[in-house]
């Protein structure tokens, strides 16, 4: 078990021929022990990173991946890590597509070369078409790709725009939560660009409500003026949606009640931009937020 765990952890960092030989010997020793079948997946994952033997062990690794019920578990990340160095990735993509669970969708985000990243995005899109319940895993894929910076833009932009315009509301809601998050510096420009598209085009109150919820959660770590801007734009978009004004009022009050930091921000907005806020929140909602702010501890 120690050999499997440490071998798998070490393999991505090995560069010298001598070290590869040591890992190869350990992995092959594990494969030779039929009583330790549960560790064979880790051994195969190590061997897939070894340029000298990966082609020899790929068929066995694919069989192992296709049959997780056999007791031998190969991590999806091991197949994904081997993709950039395989002469023909079709068999690996076929296996990933056939078992496109949450683990697979998250692992695919590690593919950064344009051709492979495009195929990964196509796999995510196709999987969501039949399994919208896996939207949280697809959103995690998008979030991780966003954090890879501008290089991810050409492929990721097309995928997210397509999903925002054609996917079911459950999928769009999960994407809205990702786009409402501030993210790290590498993702900020593209994340903001995609959020702008959502706030221009989205008309479903449930999706905009999900965006508002994530916006409130991120208020403490985003510049206040940016949060106000996004809050204002979300409200204006909801005003044009059937039932949207009620959603905006109720969710804003609920979120202000649940999160004193967000409540204080909304209260300051009511004071600093009274006319702007009054156009989006009715008198009852404004009074409730102000009352909550006075009763809450100082969170500024």
């Amino acid at each position: 078990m120690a050999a499997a765990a440490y071998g798998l952890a070490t393999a991505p960092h090995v560069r010298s021929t001598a070290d590869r030989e040591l890992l190869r010997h350990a992995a092959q020793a594990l494969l030779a022990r039929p009583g330790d079948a549960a560790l064979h997946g880790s051994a195969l994952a190590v061997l897939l990173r070894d340029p000298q033997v990966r082609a020899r062990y790929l068929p066995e690794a694919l069989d192992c991946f296709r049959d997780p019920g056999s007791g031998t578990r190969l991590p999806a990340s091991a197949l994904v890590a081997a993709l950039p160095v395989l002469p023909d990735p079709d068999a690996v993509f076929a296996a990933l597509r056939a078992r496109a669970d949450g683990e697979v969708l998250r692992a695919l985000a590690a593919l950064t070369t344009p051709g492979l990243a495009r195929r990964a995005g196509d796999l995510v899109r196709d999987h969501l078409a039949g399994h919208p319940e896996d939207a949280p895993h697809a959103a995690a894929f998008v979030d991780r790709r966003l954090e890879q910076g501008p290089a991810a833009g050409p492929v990721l932009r097309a995928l997210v725009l397509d999903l925002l315009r054609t996917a079911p509301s459950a999928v769009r809601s999960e994407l809205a939560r990702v786009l409402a998050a501030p993210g790290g510096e590498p993702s900020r420009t593209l994340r903001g660009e995609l959020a702008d598209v959502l706030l221009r085009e989205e008309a479903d109150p449930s999706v905009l409500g999900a965006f508002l919820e994530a916006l409130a959660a991120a208020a403490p770590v985003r510049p206040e003026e940016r949060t106000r801007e996004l809050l204002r734009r979300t409200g204006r978009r909801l005003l044009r949606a059937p039932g949207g004004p009620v959603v905006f009022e109720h969710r804003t009050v609920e979120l202000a009640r649940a999160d004193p930091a967000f409540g204080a921000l909304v209260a300051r907005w009511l004071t600093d931009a009274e006319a702007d806020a009054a156009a989006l929140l009715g008198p009852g909602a404004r009074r409730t937020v102000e009352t909550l702010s006075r009763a809450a501890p100082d969170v500024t």
Side-chain angles (χ1 to χ4, degrees):
M1 290 179 67
Y6 289 119
L8 197 57
T10 305
H13 309 288
V14 165
R15 299 292 179 268
S16 74
T17 300
D19 285 344
R20 283 199 182 97
E21 288 176 354
L22 286 170
L23 278 183
R24 185 185 313 135
H25 174 74
Q28 290 170 334
L30 283 174
L31 289 179
R33 295 169 60 88
D36 286 330
L39 305 179
H40 288 184
S42 296
L44 289 166
V46 170
L47 294 168
L48 284 178
R49 288 186 173 273
D50 188 329
Q52 185 170 324
V53 297
R54 67 165 59 99
R56 186 200 318 170
Y57 286 100
L58 179 60
E60 187 176 350
L62 288 172
D63 289 342
C64 172
F65 183 77
R66 292 188 190 105
D67 186 17
S70 66
T72 304
R73 186 180 179 282
L74 180 78
S77 57
L79 282 180
V80 170
L83 271 168
V85 292
L86 293 173
D88 182 6
D90 289 352
V92 174
F93 269 110
L96 293 168
R97 187 178 290 273
R99 208 196 86 188
D101 55 12
E103 180 197 0
V104 168
L105 298 189
R106 291 191 299 272
L108 286 169
L111 295 173
T112 57
T113 54
L116 294 176
R118 188 171 294 106
R119 293 187 68 168
D122 290 344
L123 193 159
V124 171
R125 180 193 295 109
D126 295 346
H127 178 72
L128 283 176
H131 301 276
E133 69 277 7
D134 282 341
H137 302 302
F141 166 90
V142 169
D143 192 46
R144 186 175 172 190
R145 289 283 285 135
L146 281 168
E147 292 302 328
Q148 291 163 0
V155 173
L156 188 61
R157 183 182 291 105
L159 170 66
V160 175
L161 289 177
D162 183 43
L163 292 174
L164 288 176
R165 289 164 178 164
T166 65
S169 61
V171 174
R172 303 199 313 275
S173 292
E174 293 298 331
L175 290 174
R177 292 186 175 93
V178 169
L179 299 180
E185 185 61 35
S187 74
R188 212 146 285 164
T189 299
L190 181 55
R191 198 183 293 262
E193 175 189 326
L194 294 169
D196 288 344
V197 172
L198 182 143
L199 291 174
R200 280 198 310 270
E201 300 182 6
E202 184 57 63
D204 189 318
S206 67
V207 177
L208 293 165
F211 187 91
L212 178 60
E213 182 179 331
L215 180 64
V221 294
R222 178 191 277 115
E224 181 163 327
E225 187 51 44
R226 175 62 173 162
T227 299
R228 285 193 194 184
E229 176 197 353
L230 292 173
L231 179 63
R232 183 167 52 246
R233 292 180 61 193
T234 306
R236 287 174 177 170
R237 191 67 191 165
L238 277 165
L239 282 183
R240 295 192 289 271
V246 174
V247 170
F248 184 68
E249 281 203 357
H250 287 182
R251 292 300 291 134
T252 300
V253 170
E254 288 171 358
L255 292 165
R257 180 177 287 114
D259 185 344
F262 180 68
L265 182 150
V266 176
R268 289 192 293 274
W269 177 46
L270 295 176
T271 300
D272 298 342
E274 185 176 357
D276 198 18
L280 300 172
L281 291 172
R286 296 200 303 275
R287 283 195 299 271
T288 301
V289 170
E290 290 164 351
T291 300
L292 290 170
S293 177
R294 286 194 296 270
D298 185 3
V299 293
T300 58

